[in-house]
Amino acid sequence: LSFCKMATASSDLGPLEDGLKLSDHFPRIEKPCKNVAETFFACFTVASRMKDDDDIMAGTRGLAHCAKQMTAYDKCMNKSITKKPLDVYRVQEEYRVRK
């Protein structure tokens, strides 16, 4: 129930503190980034815990608290992802993304 409250209330939050947001590659981990990813994930898990069922700012607080670790994670992941080509797989028609 608390997740539903967070999801519906998140549209009222406006921009996150200092433009902080999770990257598109979150929660992916590349091998060279394992240590920085685990550091960020551990920090974010602890810092974003809800104080009560109505705490809709928990995620924002977690991102703000772990901004340094998130930056290290994003830098490593961006570097690692750009080094190797994206694997493309053919899937059934109903699973294809339409733009």
Side-chain angles (χ1 to χ4, degrees), residues 12-67:
D12 300 331
L13 293 177
L16 291 176
E17 186 174 314
D18 295 330
L20 292 174
K21 70 175 198 149
L22 293 170
S23 300
D24 291 336
H25 52 259
F26 178 82
R28 182 175 168 187
I29 301 176
E30 293 289 324
K31 286 182 184 178
C33 303
K34 185 177 179 183
N35 290 337
V36 292
E38 287 177 351
T39 302
F40 168 58
F41 295 166
C43 177
F44 185 63
T45 298
V46 171
S48 64
R49 287 207 174 112
M50 296 175 69
K51 294 179 181 178
D52 56 40
D53 287 343
D54 297 324
D55 186 7
I56 61 172
M57 297 299 292
T60 305
R61 275 195 318 275
L63 288 178
H65 181 78
C66 303

Side-chain angles (χ1 to χ4, degrees), residues 49-85:
R49 287 207 174 112
M50 296 175 69
K51 294 179 181 178
D52 56 40
D53 287 343
D54 297 324
D55 186 7
I56 61 172
M57 297 299 292
T60 305
R61 275 195 318 275
L63 288 178
H65 181 78
C66 303
K68 184 177 176 182
Q69 292 89 340
M70 183 174 66
T71 301
Y73 166 71
D74 288 340
K75 280 183 181 180
C76 184
M77 287 298 295
N78 287 333
K79 184 178 176 182
S80 181
I81 290 171
T82 56
K83 283 184 178 180
K84 64 181 190 178

